[in-house]
């Protein structure tokens, strides 16, 4: 077991290094010059050159890369070209929003997805099954931003049940020690703000969860159906166990293995989907911030942001693999 | 493994139809015209009423992006200046809705006859938000920080606008020296006459910040601004909102609204939804098609910002056949500007006859004009030696700008008009930063572009965009690469005369020359709509792009 863990953790470092190189050079392949963006539509060559020098962009690429790498190793991602604020600070300001949204979506997708999958499998080939699988198909194929806009129009504009934008109504004037408004207000028991934050979270979480929820539901259904056909299930039933016990005690553990993998992968995809969701719902998270930074050619921000997301992806996958080993003894000893 | 085995097709279809029906009805519901709101503007507003019984009067301003920095001299984006305008004051400011200046932190001023020395008397008894007294020292401190690259506080960014408006730093700066005459008198000495010096000082970038705050940490001012303005900075949640509160001691009187909150809602549709659902009170960055939706909704009113911009099609005169004036005139006649403005500017455009917007002093329409006349265009092309037209490229911007709301559609329209007179123009576009770079280097043949004025002075249009001084790559302001010595002399002369009426005469002559040479097709000036709840009063948008809000009242 421990050898497996060590091997798996060891892989993280080369992966991260690969990401660093890719991000650094890819962003620089996009034509356009951050110095020009800063200088605005109306600067002289001299001004642009001065800014380029100021930012160290007049150095050869390898030199820039070494500087960047050296900074990363010391936990310094440089300063945002636009705002001059250290990138780490800028990202920390926005990461909580993305984490809260991703967690909410993940929770929704997993719990509801698995439940729908179980129900579909148990009541297979009934109208219930067809209905939920059709919805799942729709959920997978619907573009997130389009679904987001529809949700907005229905629930925020027409019905006025939920707010249309942001994380919390700024009119409430909330101040927190952290940017985890949802968790912090929950722990502090500031219910007015918490309820408002919750109401803001519903629509983006549903929109973001739509794809993974559908995938998890379909996956759960098919693996359960597969396991149900196995001999040991027949034995269990033959022993006279009730269907509920069979499903929850005997079938689920085996059936959920692939679901765990998918869930892990989905977390990574969620971070990607968050870009669209964050844009539609004006969610002040990291995805939207990176997109804006790409437009402004804010290299340090893009590098730092993508690095963080990629690392999150790597870590989640690591956790999934380790969980796998915990759930299924066969993997540990392979 | 098959996900859907053993499934009857009929069941599929039924379930699918049901689901689709649900979806369609949901969308249909969304497309229905707005139901008139309840008296209280829906549940949410009602909840807020409960949340703050007679709480502070708050205005929520929804916009497309977040501020970059609140150190006035650092940013170059409008979203930063909107907020800076509330927190800080300048020495002089623009009159409500106009580009002429009036007293602000300076109450009175004199220029020497050669326009090289300017002496300002300052308002007394003004304090910065941190309690620091505002005086001549504070003015000198700010200007020295901006100008002198060796100044210990010349930190926190590139100071782009200082170098842009005053020619550079250190020895290059037009401002040579700022002297404290006495506690409330300050004297600027300029290297050369600068007729539009006052106009520059009214720009929000040259707002005066608290020396105490800058000395504590010049790099922190961008995040924790301290000015003398009508509103104090409270809190900035990145990417989300900036909250300001009224400064009760403001020299212009206590603001009528207690709190202003700027919210960033980047998606235009989402921002409109937020306005309709009452999450925000004001919305800017309105798209033409949204304007129609809003105008049919009696809960809202529209304020129009007078144009201080120009959208144009520039010919690259360094490239054939655009070196030939007949070709340029022909294309000017070939394009129906009026139709373009009527159909693609959503009723917010004015057809342009010169590069200057009509609201600006010095503007004239007594110049050569080019009415839509395809026959005449063909005739001129034949005269120029192109009886069958020619092939070329038409460069179009990838993003809507204030002066050109729908660049791709405008490009297609122009392409159609050109085709009618035999010119085959292929539309070319690049991502925005790249587009600016390539046009600045003169890679284009014809390119759509535009300009938003800075300081409300004609020089800022005519000299910047059409003087031979700026017809040089790699970042030409004059992307027509139009070089006319006679024009150059007029423009340079006008930079040195402090008398506005004499300058205006020179600019009228300049516009005549430009119209005759036709380096551009001047297309349009666009007004910007700002939409707000009915009942909000006292909001006067300024042509320069942002304005103080302390005189606004809420219902």
């Amino acid at each position: 077991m421990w050898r497996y863990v060590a091997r798996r953790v060891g892989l993280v470092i080369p992966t991260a290094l690969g990401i660093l190189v890719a991000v650094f050079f890819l962003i620089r392949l996009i034509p356009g010059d951050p110095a020009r963006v800063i200088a605005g539509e109306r600067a002289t060559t001299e001004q642009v050159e001065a800014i380029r020098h100021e930012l160290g962009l007049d150095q050869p690429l390898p030199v820039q890369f070494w500087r960047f790498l050296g900074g990363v190793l010391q936990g310094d991602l440089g300063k945002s070209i636009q705002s001059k604020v250290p990138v780490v600070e800028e990202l920390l300001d926005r990461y909580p929003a993305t984490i809260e949204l991703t967690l909410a979506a993940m929770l929704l997708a997993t719990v509801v997805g698995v439940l729908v999958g179980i129900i579909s499998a148990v009541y297979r080939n009934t109208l219930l099954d067809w209905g939920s699988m059709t919805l799942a198909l729709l959920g997978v194929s619907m573009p997130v931003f389009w679904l987001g806009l529809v949700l907005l129009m229905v629930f925020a504009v027409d019905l006025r049940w939920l707010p249309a934008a942001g994380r919390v109504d700024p009119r409430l004037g909330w101040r927190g020690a952290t940017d985890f408004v949802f968790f912090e207000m929950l722990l502090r028991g500031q219910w007015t703000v918490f309820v408002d934050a919750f109401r803001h979270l519903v629509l983006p979480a549903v929109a973001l969860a739509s794809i993974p929820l559908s995938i998890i539901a379909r996956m759960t259904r098919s693996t359960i159906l597969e396991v149900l056909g196995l001999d040991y299930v027949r034995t269990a039933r033959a022993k006279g166990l009730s269907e509920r016990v069979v499903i929850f005690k005997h079938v689920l553990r085996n059936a959920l293995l692939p679901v765990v993998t998918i869930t892990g992968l989905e977390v990574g995809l969620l971070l990607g989907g968050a870009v669209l969701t964050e844009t539609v719902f004006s969610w002040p998270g990291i995805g939207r911030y990176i997109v804006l930074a790409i437009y402004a050619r804010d290299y340090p921000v893009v590098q730092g942001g993508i690095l963080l997301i990629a690392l999150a992806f790597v870590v989640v996958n690591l956790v999934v693999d380790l969980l796998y080993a915990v759930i299924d003894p066969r993997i540990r000893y392979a | 493994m098959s996900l859907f085995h053993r499934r009857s097709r009929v069941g599929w279809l039924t379930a699918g139809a049901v689901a689709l029906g649900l979806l369609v009805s949901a969308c249909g519901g969304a497309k229905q015209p707005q139901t008139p709101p309840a008296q209280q503007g829906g549940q949410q507003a009602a909840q807020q009423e409960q949340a703050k019984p007679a709480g502070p009067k708050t205005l929520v301003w929804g916009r497309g992006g977040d501020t970059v920095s609140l150190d006035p001299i650092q940013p170059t984006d409008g979203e930063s200046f909107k907020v800076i305008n509330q927190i800080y004051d300048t020495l002089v400011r623009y009159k409500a809705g106009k580009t002429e200046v009036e007293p602000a932190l300076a109450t009175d001023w004199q220029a020497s006859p050669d326009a090289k020395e300017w002496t300002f008397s300052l308002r007394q008894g003004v304090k910065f938000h941190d309690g620091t007294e505002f005086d001549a020292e504070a003015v000198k401190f700010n200007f020295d920080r901006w100008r002198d690259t060796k100044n210990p506080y010349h930190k926190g960014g590139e100071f782009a606008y200082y170098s842009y408006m005053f020619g550079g730093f250190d020895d290059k700066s037009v401002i040579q020296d700022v002297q404290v005459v006495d506690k409330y008198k300050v004297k600027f000495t300029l290297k050369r006459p600068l007729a539009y010096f006052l106009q520059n000082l009214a720009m929000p970038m040259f707002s005066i910040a608290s020396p105490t705050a800058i000395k504590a940490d010049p790099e922190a001012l961008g995040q924790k601004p301290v000015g003398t303005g009508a509103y104090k900075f409270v809190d900035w949640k990145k990417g989300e909102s900036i909250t300001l509160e009224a400064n009760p001691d403001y020299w212009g009187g206590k603001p009528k609204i207690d709190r202003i909150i700027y919210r960033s809602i980047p998606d235009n549709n989402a921002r409109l939804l937020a306005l309709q659902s009452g999450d925000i009170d004001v919305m800017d960055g309105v798209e033409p098609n949204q304007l129609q939706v809003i105008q049919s909704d009696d809960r809202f009113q529209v304020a129009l910002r007078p144009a201080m911009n120009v959208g144009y099609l520039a010919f690259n005169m360094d490239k054939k056949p655009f070196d030939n004036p007949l070709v340029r005139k022909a294309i000017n006649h070939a394009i129906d500007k009026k139709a373009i403005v009527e159909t693609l500017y959503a009723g917010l455009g004015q057809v342009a006859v010169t590069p200057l917007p009509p609201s600006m002093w010095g503007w004239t329409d007594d110049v050569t004009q080019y009415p839509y006349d395809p026959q005449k265009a063909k005739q001129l092309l034949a005269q120029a030696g192109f009886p069958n037209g020619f092939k070329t490229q038409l460069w179009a911007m990838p993003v809507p700008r204030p002066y050109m709301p729908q660049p791709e559609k405008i490009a297609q329209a122009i392409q159609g008009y050109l085709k009618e007179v035999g010119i085959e123009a292929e539309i070319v576009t690049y991502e925005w930063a790249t587009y600016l770079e390539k046009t600045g280097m003169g890679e284009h043949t014809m390119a759509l572009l535009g300009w938003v004025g800075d300081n409300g002075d004609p020089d800022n249009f005519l000299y910047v965009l059409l003087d031979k001084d700026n017809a040089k790559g790699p970042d030409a302001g004059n992307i027509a690469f139009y070089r006319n010595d006679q024009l150059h002399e007029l423009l340079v002369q006008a930079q040195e005369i402090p008398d506005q009426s004499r300058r205006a005469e020179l600019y009228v002559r300049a516009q005549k020359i430009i119209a005759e040479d036709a380096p551009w097709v001047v297309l349009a000036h666009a007004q910007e709509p700002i939409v707000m709840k009915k009942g909000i009063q006292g909001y006067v948008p300024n042509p320069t792009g942002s304005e103080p809000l302390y005189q606004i009242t809420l219902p």
Side-chain angles (χ1 to χ4, degrees):
Chain A
M1 175 80 187
W2 293 115
R3 266 189 40 214
Y4 171 76
V5 172
R7 205 174 54 218
R8 217 27 218 82
V9 173
L11 274 176
V12 170
I13 293 159
T15 315
L17 204 66
I19 293 165
L20 276 182
V21 175
V23 167
F24 181 88
F25 289 100
L26 276 178
I27 170 94
R28 280 168 176 75
L29 280 180
I30 310 176
D33 177 358
R36 159 141 328 267
V37 177
I38 289 178
E41 294 168 39
R42 51 193 58 180
T44 61
T45 318
E46 236 176 293
Q47 287 165 352
V48 176
E49 278 308 322
I51 290 174
R52 211 173 275 140
H53 178 73
E54 180 100 358
L55 298 170
L57 296 171
D58 50 356
Q59 302 281 345
L61 273 188
V63 174
Q64 289 187 44
F65 183 70
W66 277 119
R67 280 189 187 169
F68 167 57
L69 201 62
V72 170
L73 293 176
Q74 297 163 36
D76 174 17
L77 295 174
K79 280 184 179 171
S80 158
I81 286 180
Q82 292 176 93
S83 69
K84 308 292 171 259
V85 176
V87 170
V88 176
E89 264 177 55
E90 290 276 44
L91 291 173
L92 286 178
D93 273 344
R94 292 170 173 86
Y95 221 89
T98 301
I99 290 178
E100 280 187 348
L101 175 59
T102 310
L103 281 178
M106 207 59 242
L107 193 72
L108 197 67
T110 320
V111 173
V112 178
V114 168
L115 274 178
V116 169
I118 293 172
I119 291 167
S120 265
V122 172
Y123 297 99
R124 64 184 163 282
N125 295 341
T126 63
L127 200 58
L128 194 65
D129 177 23
W130 291 321
S132 41
M133 283 303 111
T134 308
L135 280 177
L137 189 65
L138 277 172
V140 172
S141 13
M142 236 185 311
V144 171
F145 65 91
W146 186 79
L147 175 67
L149 277 177
V150 170
L151 288 174
L152 270 182
M153 286 174 99
V154 177
F155 294 100
V157 178
D158 280 4
L159 298 172
R160 294 175 167 264
W161 290 352
L162 293 165
R167 283 175 84 193
V168 70
D169 190 331
R171 282 180 273 214
L172 295 171
W174 69 281
R175 290 305 245 321
T178 66
D179 282 314
F180 287 98
V181 53
F182 187 79
F183 297 130
E184 190 182 338
M185 297 299 144
L186 178 66
L187 294 173
R188 286 191 179 185
Q190 296 199 4
W191 301 118
T192 323
V193 181
F194 172 76
V195 167
D196 188 67
F198 179 78
R199 294 174 67 245
H200 277 86
L201 187 59
V202 174
L203 292 181
V206 169
L208 185 55
S210 64
I211 292 177
L213 189 153
S214 310
I215 292 177
I216 289 169
R218 284 162 55 169
M219 189 92 193
T220 308
R221 177 183 182 277
S222 65
T223 50
I224 287 183
L225 287 180
E226 230 168 274
V227 174
L228 279 177
L230 294 178
D231 289 349
Y232 82 95
V233 176
R234 205 173 51 204
T235 311
R237 285 187 178 143
K239 283 197 320 192
L241 295 177
S242 74
E243 192 65 6
R244 183 171 310 174
V245 174
V246 170
I247 297 269
F248 283 92
K249 274 198 76 161
H250 298 274
V251 174
L252 268 190
R253 184 163 171 166
N254 274 325
L256 284 188
L257 257 182
V259 175
V260 171
T261 316
I262 287 282
T263 308
L265 288 175
E266 290 301 331
V267 170
L269 293 176
L270 276 182
L271 288 170
V275 175
L276 296 173
T277 317
E278 283 177 2
T279 304
V280 174
F281 293 95
S282 317
W283 197 261
I286 206 159
R288 202 183 86 193
Y289 181 54
I290 292 175
V291 170
L292 293 174
I294 291 174
Y295 283 125
R297 302 283 184 277
D298 199 332
Y299 295 159
V301 170
V302 178
Q303 285 159 194
I306 293 185
L307 186 65
L308 263 183
I309 286 192
L311 283 180
F313 207 115
V314 170
V315 167
V316 168
N317 271 320
L318 177 69
V319 169
V320 169
D321 279 1
L322 298 183
L323 266 183
Y324 227 79
V326 171
I327 299 177
D328 186 347
R330 283 171 301 184
I331 291 173
R332 267 174 256 173
Y333 305 113
Chain B
M1 78 202 127
S2 151
L3 282 176
F4 306 102
H5 43 295
R6 291 185 303 172
R7 190 178 280 300
S8 91
R9 216 167 261 169
V10 177
W12 252 116
L13 288 174
T14 325
V18 170
L20 262 178
L22 278 172
L23 250 176
V24 169
S25 62
C27 300
K31 280 207 194 80
Q32 276 161 18
Q34 276 292 327
T35 42
Q39 288 305 313
Q40 280 304 321
Q43 206 174 333
Q44 239 220 311
Q47 273 204 349
Q48 271 149 12
E49 295 314 322
Q50 286 161 14
K52 46 176 181 76
K57 271 193 179 276
T58 304
L59 180 83
V60 184
W61 185 295
R63 56 197 187 137
D66 200 3
T67 287
V68 172
S69 166
L70 290 170
D71 178 349
I73 197 67
Q74 301 301 0
T76 53
D77 65 302
E79 295 307 349
S80 295
F81 296 123
K82 260 174 218 170
V83 185
I84 284 168
N85 257 308
Q86 317 311 326
I87 301 174
Y88 298 92
D89 288 308
T90 40
L91 289 175
V92 291
R93 68 178 183 193
Y94 299 109
K95 285 181 181 164
K98 296 201 168 66
T99 59
E100 287 151 59
V101 301
E102 66 178 17
L105 284 176
T107 49
D108 186 20
W109 51 87
Q110 274 93 36
S112 61
D114 64 359
K116 275 167 112 174
E117 285 189 358
W118 297 73
T119 310
F120 294 85
S121 310
L122 304 178
R123 195 175 293 276
Q124 306 189 13
V126 175
K127 281 198 164 60
F128 289 99
H129 301 152
D130 60 3
T132 309
E133 214 179 329
F134 165 78
D135 55 16
E137 283 292 350
V139 176
K140 178 177 166 56
F141 180 90
N142 275 273
F143 276 88
D144 287 354
R145 174 197 176 212
W146 301 333
R147 181 185 68 238
D148 177 6
T149 52
K150 298 195 179 46
N151 184 301
Y153 308 112
H154 186 84
K155 286 199 187 95
E158 284 81 19
F159 300 82
Y161 255 103
Y162 185 86
S163 130
Y164 176 61
M165 297 312 295
F166 293 117
F169 304 111
D170 303 325
D171 296 337
K172 291 204 189 79
S173 166
V174 173
I175 301 178
Q176 219 170 346
D177 187 30
V178 184
Q179 286 166 294
V180 174
V181 181
D182 63 37
K183 195 165 167 55
Y184 295 110
K185 226 183 198 79
V186 67
K187 186 170 118 188
F188 289 79
T189 309
L190 309 185
K191 213 190 256 172
R192 53 183 169 84
L194 194 61
Y196 50 83
F197 183 58
L198 270 188
Q199 297 279 10
N200 280 8
L201 292 187
M203 295 169 74
M205 311 83 209
F206 308 116
S207 294
I208 308 298
S210 162
T212 314
I214 295 172
K215 282 175 191 160
D217 183 356
E219 293 183 319
L221 189 69
Q223 309 295 309
K224 294 195 172 59
V226 186
T228 54
Y231 285 88
K232 297 181 190 180
F233 173 79
V234 177
D235 165 49
W236 182 357
K237 296 193 171 56
K238 289 293 174 68
E240 192 164 12
S241 63
I242 293 181
T243 303
L244 310 177
E245 67 182 6
N247 169 11
D249 310 321
Y250 186 54
W251 57 263
K254 184 176 181 300
K256 314 231 175 12
I257 297 175
D258 304 314
R259 284 193 309 174
I260 296 182
I261 297 173
Y262 286 94
R263 280 190 73 174
S264 331
I265 304 180
D267 186 276
N268 285 348
N269 294 317
R271 199 159 61 252
L272 177 60
L273 294 177
L275 180 78
Q276 291 169 326
S277 68
D279 284 357
I280 58 178
D281 307 313
V282 183
M283 163 182 181
D284 60 26
V286 184
E287 288 180 4
N289 56 351
Q290 296 180 316
L291 203 58
Q292 291 156 358
V293 175
I294 292 161
Q295 278 165 335
S296 63
D297 188 333
D298 60 4
R299 289 176 299 167
F300 304 115
Q301 54 181 347
V302 180
L304 288 181
R305 184 185 299 290
M308 197 171 77
N309 55 48
V310 60
Y312 58 85
L313 171 68
F315 304 112
N316 185 341
M317 290 168 58
D318 282 346
K319 290 197 176 171
K320 285 194 178 319
F322 302 110
D323 55 339
N324 185 337
L326 291 172
V327 172
R328 300 196 300 268
K329 286 173 189 262
I331 293 180
N332 261 292
H333 279 297
I335 296 169
D336 188 351
K337 295 197 286 197
K338 196 156 162 284
I340 288 179
V341 169
E342 275 169 10
T343 51
L344 297 173
Y345 276 78
L348 299 165
Q350 301 157 281
V351 175
V353 289
T354 98
L356 290 185
S359 63
M360 195 175 276
W361 56 267
W363 176 83
T364 177
D365 57 358
D366 183 18
V367 297
T368 311
Q369 297 199 16
Y370 299 91
Y372 176 56
D373 189 347
Q375 284 313 320
K376 186 156 188 195
K378 281 184 189 160
Q379 207 182 313
L380 288 166
L381 280 174
Q383 258 178 322
F386 297 99
N388 305 318
F390 55 87
K391 276 198 165 75
T392 184
Q393 286 183 332
L394 168 60
W395 286 38
M397 306 151 29
V399 286
R401 303 291 293 168
Y403 45 76
M404 209 167 285
Q406 307 179 71
E408 68 293 334
K409 285 189 180 153
I410 290 171
Q412 285 160 4
I414 291 175
Q415 186 184 34
Y417 287 125
L418 292 179
K419 209 178 161 92
E420 275 176 42
V421 298
I423 299 172
E424 294 278 342
E426 175 203 357
I427 296 181
V428 177
T429 188
Y430 296 93
E431 196 272 333
W432 183 227
T434 316
Y435 188 85
L436 287 175
E437 234 160 84
K438 285 180 178 287
T439 48
M441 287 193 273
E443 290 183 19
H444 57 287
T445 45
M446 286 188 281
L448 288 170
L449 200 60
W451 178 252
V452 179
D454 290 306
N455 58 1
D457 196 278
D459 176 85
N460 180 253
F461 277 74
L462 303 179
Y463 178 76
V464 171
L465 301 174
L466 291 153
D467 190 88
K468 68 172 191 180
D469 285 355
N470 294 313
K472 296 193 271 278
D475 36 33
N478 176 353
I479 67 160
F481 296 90
Y482 163 54
R483 302 174 185 89
N484 180 318
D485 292 327
Q486 197 193 351
L487 175 75
H488 174 74
E489 260 161 53
L490 285 177
L491 293 177
V492 172
Q493 204 186 337
Q495 288 177 337
E496 307 194 342
I497 307 165
D499 177 15
Q500 187 172 309
S501 59
R502 278 190 50 213
R503 293 182 69 210
E505 283 166 33
L506 295 175
Y507 288 127
V508 167
R509 283 167 55 196
Q511 287 167 83
K512 287 185 196 292
I513 294 172
I514 293 164
E516 189 48 44
D517 288 342
W520 294 353
V521 179
V522 261
L523 289 170
H525 309 287
Q527 297 157 304
E528 182 206 348
I530 297 110
V531 179
M532 53 192 62
K533 268 191 196 149
K534 274 235 169 86
I536 292 176
Q537 284 176 337
Y539 174 68
V540 186
N542 191 282
T544 57
S546 50
E547 52 282 318
L549 300 176
Y550 67 97
Q551 286 162 327
I552 296 191
T553 56
L554 287 174

